Every structure is written in structure tokens, then in C-alpha cells.
Amino acid sequence: MTSAAPWLAHYDPGVPATLAPYSNRTLLDCLADLAASRPDAPALLFKGASVTYRDLAAHSDALAVALASLGVTRGDRVALLLPNCPQFFVAQFAAWKLGAIVAPLNPIYTEHELEGPIVEHGIETIVTLTRFYERVKRIQARSPLRRIVATNIKQFFPWSLRLLFTLFRESKEGDRISLAAGDEDYGRLVARHGGERPPPIALTADDPAVLLMSGGTTGTPKGALGKHGVYVTTGQQVQAWTASVLGQNSVILLPLPLFHVYAHVGVQGLALVTGNPIALVPNPRDLDDVLATIRAVKPTFFNGVPTLYVALLNHQDVQRGRVDFKSIKICFSGAAPLMAETKQRFETLTGGRIVEGYSLTEAMMALVINPVQNANKLGSVGLPLPDVHVRIVDGDEGTRVLPSGEVGEICFSAPQLMVGFWNRPEETSLALRDRVDADGTTRRWLHTGDLGYLDDQGYLFIVDRKKDLVKTSGYQVWPREIEEVLSAHPAVAEVGVAGMPDPMKGETIWAWVVLRQGQTTDEAGLRAFCREQLAPYKVPSHIEIRAELPKTLVGKVLRRALREEALQGRTQAQ
């Protein structure tokens, strides 16, 4: 251990300080090995069906041949407009077998939001769910799109569910469509080329693999380019971290969307590196389906965001004891702050451990996370994983390393950082900066735009986003601190806090809360609760009780949307 990495002394027993040197393997190599050594083992569990490693390898071979026949070649970008379903994995592996780069997109994007990355990234091929087909067609004429492959969500359903879906839901859900001339049906393509294999292509860990969208909630959306090695590196790091609870044949539940780095790199990398099946939930907001999947597959590893944990705890079946969570041994929580009260309630429910972590798209899951066995510090997102380095720098120039306990900008250095933003060299140079350490080692550091501090043991504490900082009457206030206080109120289920312009104070603090089912309170009661625990300048000047909060599909509360909505309401009232 060195003073530059105090966290190493607080790792769980058996977790190594480093996993270097990392291999040159890709997820294609992992899939090929699993298809050869354990062909009949399940790779994916979906709606009662099982997709084996042999199936996944064969289907992606067939689709790769089909895509190649349509003109997809090495370096092309292939968009995936799909929920969590087996077709996502098939299309992804098919594109990689041709040396193409996959570009997962958010299925709830509007036409405008889809058009931006498709045009900017020069995407000519897209694999889409049938219910999104018309949205894609409406932007085709003003985009580079030349090849559209559509797939029905029922493609991998077991026959009984497939029949019921066809009879009662297919038309209503928008999945019964007619393809325009020149567009392709996924099922027919795979059937047409079944048994065929594409010519082998040499891929290394350093080849480009994925474009993940970043910045959509805090700035201009842009594509972060990741290499093939990010999946295996992350998978090996998380495997080492969870080895005490995650064995072979441990089902990994995935209710988080595969267009997000958490699921796409973190969960997928772990599953393919360890050979454990992923149980897919297409829509994390369908809590009944989440619970039905838990009942059916009895997962060991649960991955969620705080809003999902809160929603599950408040579900009537959970409150009535109708769901058995005891198979769950470990839960990861990320993407938003995990309130202490939520952690305690969920751990009591499952008997397992829920650990909060932190990463971001540009870091490609270079992860800080709390130990599985050792101490979890209240309010901390944990320790850097092996070969992940974290330091805190001044928030102005970003050149001065700050001592423990001092708040500044969080920076990451790790083997799997993104290559950069697609066709945005200036923004890349601001985010990724090379620095020479005191020992002469040159490291590439990702400047996150998040503020936090390291304690003297190397635990990281997030303060907030630099852009979310509220300045009121000359004081700096972090929205997360107020959210933590309000979330501890027994009547509060969810909360969002943001600053609102004020001619006298510069900004005032507003809060928006959702109450727990069956609970009541009012603004005066919530403000009184805050006054007991916060300095006067931190107490929200306005608290609004709402039925719901705007969130991303991942479940992160959109403070910006709350602020913009309030500003619009203020303008209309004038």
C-alpha cells in the first residue's frame, strides 16, 4: 500500500491490489469459450425462456452473415434501439463479429433525440423493436440510415406466452407492423442464414466496440467510445470484488436498460467473464414483471438504482410478504444517491448486502464501490476497485491534488477509460488529461465534473454535481445533502432538490417530494423537519408535494426538468 492508494488497506480479504496485466480477450472470446465448454448452460433468461451459450453464438453467427450480406463492414456503427431482450445480445455480438461498433440508444428517445446521435455518429444500420419502427422510419430521410432490421419482442418468448401475446397484445403494443420495401425482418434473416458463420476477424482489447450516449441529463448528448477491453477488464474487477458471494450458476438479475453503461458494460462484462446467466427484465418500471422474474429465477445478484429499490419496498406484494427475496446475496446500487434508510430496509427484506457504487459512462465502469464484507461507511460510495485510481483536484483548474477531507473535482484513472467523445476532440481534451505523477508515472485522468472528497482511508464521498451546486446568499449548498435529510422523513418516498433564481439571494432552494403510500404531511411539516437538521440557509424555501418525479429510464431524478418546469410555471403566473 502507498499513501496514494490508502483504500488498498481496506479491501475485503482475498481481493487483490491489482489484476494486471489484463488479457487481450474480448467478450467474443468469452462467448466462444462458453459455447464450446458449456454449450447447454443458460446465457440469458427471458420471460420463462432460456437462451444457451450455443444458441447465442449460433444466432449471432447467422445475423452477422446476414448483416455482412447487407453491406455492414468493419468500423461501421450499428445502432441498437432495443429493450432488454435476447435480440440485443444477438445483434451486438453479430456486429462485433464483423468488426462493427455497436451504438445502443434509449428506446424512449423522441425522433429529435434519435436523430442527433444517428446523424453525428454516421449510423447506417439499426436493429429496432417493431414498436419503434415507425419512429425510425420518420427520421430515415434526414439521416444516414440505409439498413433497418426490425424484431418483434415475442421472438424469444416461450410458445404459450408468444401465442397469448399475438392474440391479445401485439396490435395494442404496436408490434404488428408491415415493413417497407428494403427493410428486413430479424427472424427471417436469422432463419435464412442459420448454420452459417462469418469469416473470422481479428479483434483485440484495443479495438473500438461501443458508443454509449452521455451527457443527456446535464449537457449536450454525445457518444463516448469504448474499447472491447472495457468489458473484460470491468468483469474481472467486479468478479474479484464479489468472489465471496458470487459463484458459478449465480443468476444475475438485470432490470436496468442495456443502453446504460451500468448494465451494458458492468453487468454484461461480469456475466460473460464469470459464465453466469443474466435474467432480463425489459422494462424496470413494470414492477409486477420485476417481481415475477424474481419469483421465477431466484437471483443471487440484484442490480438496481435507488428509485427501483424504493418502488419495490412500497409495492403492495412486498409489503404483504408475498415475494421471497432470500435468494439475493448481493445488490449493487448506482446512478443516483442511495439513502441510508432505503439501504437498511432492503437489507432487512433480503438478508443480503446492498452496496452503493459510483462510476460514469466516460469511465466505462471504472468503479468505486463499497466492500461486500468489510465496513460500508454511511454516505460513502466506497473504495476504488483494483487498478482504479481516484484523486480529488481543485475545481477551478483541475491541476492541484487536494488532501483527504477536502472537497474538489473527482478524477479517475483506470485501464478501461473511454477513448474519447466521438468527433469531439475539444470536449475530449477537457475530460481526459494526461498527468505525470510524483513517481514519474504518466496516467490518463478522467475529470468527472462531480464533486466529492476522499477520507483518510480512501473511501469516496460524493458531494454533488458541479453544475447542480446551489449558491444562496453567498453560501454553497449541495442538493444531495438536503435530499438525504428529506428522504429520512417517515412520510417521504422520493425527493429532488434544485436551485431557483432569486433576485435577492441569487438562488433559493426548492424541493419536490413524493409521499409514501398511506402517509400524509404538508410543506410546513417538512420544512420544520429540515430546520431540525439543517442550517437555516439550507432549509428549502419551497417544498412541493407531487404524485411523481421526472426520471431517466435508469431511474435518476431529473433535477433540471423539475427546475425548468418550475421556471415555466413562474413565467406563466406573471
Side-chain angles (χ1 to χ4, degrees):
M1 185 192 77
T2 70
S3 59
W7 49 82
L8 296 178
H10 305 283
Y11 276 10
D12 284 342
V15 177
T18 180
L19 297 170
Y22 287 87
S23 70
N24 199 31
R25 287 167 58 81
T26 71
L27 287 192
L28 284 173
D29 298 317
C30 294
L31 176 59
D33 289 349
L34 289 164
S37 62
R38 301 170 56 206
D40 297 319
L44 307 171
L45 303 173
F46 182 66
K47 297 288 189 180
S50 176
V51 180
T52 67
Y53 292 113
R54 178 195 284 121
D55 296 333
L56 186 52
H59 281 268
S60 55
D61 277 343
L63 186 60
V65 173
L67 292 177
S69 72
L70 297 175
V72 176
T73 61
R74 188 171 192 140
D76 286 354
R77 278 73 66 202
V78 176
L80 307 179
L81 190 64
L82 298 165
N84 290 7
C85 60
Q87 297 96 305
F88 187 104
F89 293 85
V90 173
Q92 165 195 264
F93 281 110
W96 284 343
K97 288 176 178 180
L98 302 177
I101 300 168
V102 298
L105 297 173
N106 188 337
I108 66 171
Y109 272 178
T110 63
E111 291 177 39
H112 173 73
E113 290 168 319
L114 284 174
E115 184 179 349
I118 288 173
V119 171
E120 182 171 343
H121 301 156
I123 292 172
E124 297 182 345
T125 306
I126 189 168
V127 182
T128 181
L129 206 65
T130 46
R131 68 185 62 171
F132 311 138
Y133 174 74
E134 292 302 329
R135 199 187 319 162
V136 171
K137 290 300 288 183
R138 286 194 292 269
I139 66 173
Q140 185 175 15
R142 54 183 190 270
S143 76
L145 279 177
R146 295 170 47 207
R147 296 173 284 265
I148 299 175
V149 178
T151 180
N152 196 306
I153 189 66
K154 69 181 183 181
Q155 182 76 37
F156 284 87
F157 283 1
W159 72 268
S160 56
L161 181 60
R162 187 183 181 103
L163 176 61
L164 290 171
F165 183 84
T166 302
L167 292 175
F168 299 110
R169 293 186 60 183
E170 188 173 40
S171 294
K172 185 172 70 172
E173 300 285 351
D175 286 296
R176 187 172 295 168
I177 64 169
S178 297
L179 294 177
D183 295 338
E184 301 287 347
D185 177 84
Y186 166 96
R188 294 195 189 108
L189 283 180
V190 172
R192 187 185 310 156
H193 296 281
E196 299 181 47
R197 301 184 66 178
I201 186 169
L203 282 177
T204 72
D206 287 326
D207 284 310
V210 66
L211 277 167
L212 292 172
M213 296 305 296
S214 174
T217 61
T218 56
T220 305
K222 45 195 172 286
L225 180 64
K227 299 177 181 180
H228 275 280
V230 304
Y231 301 91
V232 176
T233 296
T234 297
Q236 291 175 339
Q237 290 170 347
V238 179
Q239 179 186 30
W241 201 255
T242 60
S244 61
V245 292
L246 190 70
Q248 200 170 70
N249 300 316
S250 296
V251 175
I252 302 172
L253 186 71
L254 184 57
L256 303 176
L258 278 160
F259 66 80
H260 192 274
V261 68
Y262 183 168
H264 186 79
V265 176
V267 176
Q268 183 180 195
L270 175 65
L272 270 294
V273 165
T274 61
N276 283 307
I278 301 176
L280 298 169
V281 176
N283 179 5
R285 295 179 180 175
D286 185 348
L287 295 181
D288 290 339
D289 189 40
V290 174
L291 293 174
T293 306
I294 291 172
R295 290 187 182 103
V297 306
K298 295 180 171 52
T300 305
F301 195 163
F302 187 96
N303 295 273
V305 295
T307 50
L308 178 56
Y309 291 114
V310 170
L312 289 174
L313 287 167
N314 291 332
H315 193 280
Q316 60 181 6
D317 284 358
V318 175
Q319 293 188 340
R320 293 172 183 171
R322 295 177 178 173
V323 186
D324 183 2
F325 288 91
K326 296 305 181 183
S327 66
I328 298 173
K329 304 303 179 188
I330 182 68
C331 307
F332 275 15
S333 179
L338 176 68
M339 304 306 172
E341 194 264 351
T342 303
K343 172 180 168 67
Q344 184 273 325
R345 289 176 65 201
F346 205 82
E347 286 184 338
T348 300
L349 179 71
T350 63
R353 189 78 177 264
I354 179 170
V355 294
E356 185 177 9
Y358 163 75
S359 188
L360 60 167
T361 303
E362 294 86 344
M364 292 289 162
M365 287 304 289
L367 188 62
V368 173
I369 197 158
N370 272 286
V372 174
Q373 304 292 339
N374 284 348
N376 281 208
K377 293 190 178 183
L378 184 64
S380 173
V381 292
L383 306 168
L385 264 61
D387 304 306
V388 176
H389 293 262
V390 174
R391 70 183 184 189
I392 309 298
V393 301
D394 67 282
D396 297 320
E397 299 297 326
T399 56
R400 181 168 57 90
V401 180
L402 302 181
S404 63
E406 192 167 334
V407 173
E409 184 178 13
I410 301 166
C411 295
F412 275 101
S413 181
Q416 68 262 52
L417 299 183
M418 70 170 181
V419 177
F421 296 118
W422 186 265
N423 288 339
R424 297 200 182 193
E426 291 184 4
E427 292 191 52
T428 298
S429 64
L430 291 174
L432 295 174
R433 308 178 201 175
D434 291 339
R435 294 284 185 268
V436 179
D437 289 347
D439 62 0
T441 303
T442 299
R443 296 186 188 275
R444 174 153 293 182
W445 291 92
L446 171 67
H447 289 245
T448 67
D450 289 334
L451 296 172
Y453 64 93
L454 290 165
D455 71 7
D456 57 3
Q457 293 182 329
Y459 281 80
L460 178 65
F461 293 78
I462 308 295
V463 174
D464 231 312
R465 291 287 301 173
K466 286 172 70 175
K467 293 181 180 180
D468 287 341
L469 174 69
V470 180
K471 295 183 178 180
T472 179
S473 300
Y475 294 102
Q476 293 186 345
V477 180
W478 314 112
R480 177 172 174 168
E481 180 183 8
I482 302 166
E483 289 170 351
E484 286 273 7
V485 170
L486 279 168
S487 71
H489 190 285
V492 173
E494 297 178 323
V495 59
V497 171
M500 289 286 289
D502 182 85
M504 296 294 293
K505 297 182 177 180
E507 286 183 295
T508 55
I509 299 164
W510 282 34
W512 297 263
V513 302
V514 175
L515 300 183
R516 289 184 186 169
Q517 188 175 6
Q519 297 289 325
T520 59
T521 188
D522 57 15
E523 180 179 6
L526 292 171
R527 282 171 50 81
F529 184 79
C530 288
R531 280 195 294 269
E532 293 175 0
Q533 302 180 62
L534 294 169
Y537 68 88
K538 297 180 183 179
V539 176
S541 62
H542 174 87
I543 300 178
E544 177 184 336
I545 297 174
R546 300 165 53 109
E548 61 181 4
L549 300 179
K551 304 183 190 78
T552 66
L553 189 58
V554 178
K556 185 182 296 185
V557 173
L558 288 169
R559 292 171 177 164
R560 185 185 66 180
L562 287 166
R563 186 175 187 272
E564 290 174 352
E565 181 182 317
L567 287 171
Q568 186 176 15
R570 180 188 286 181
T571 301
Q572 292 172 349
Q574 291 175 345

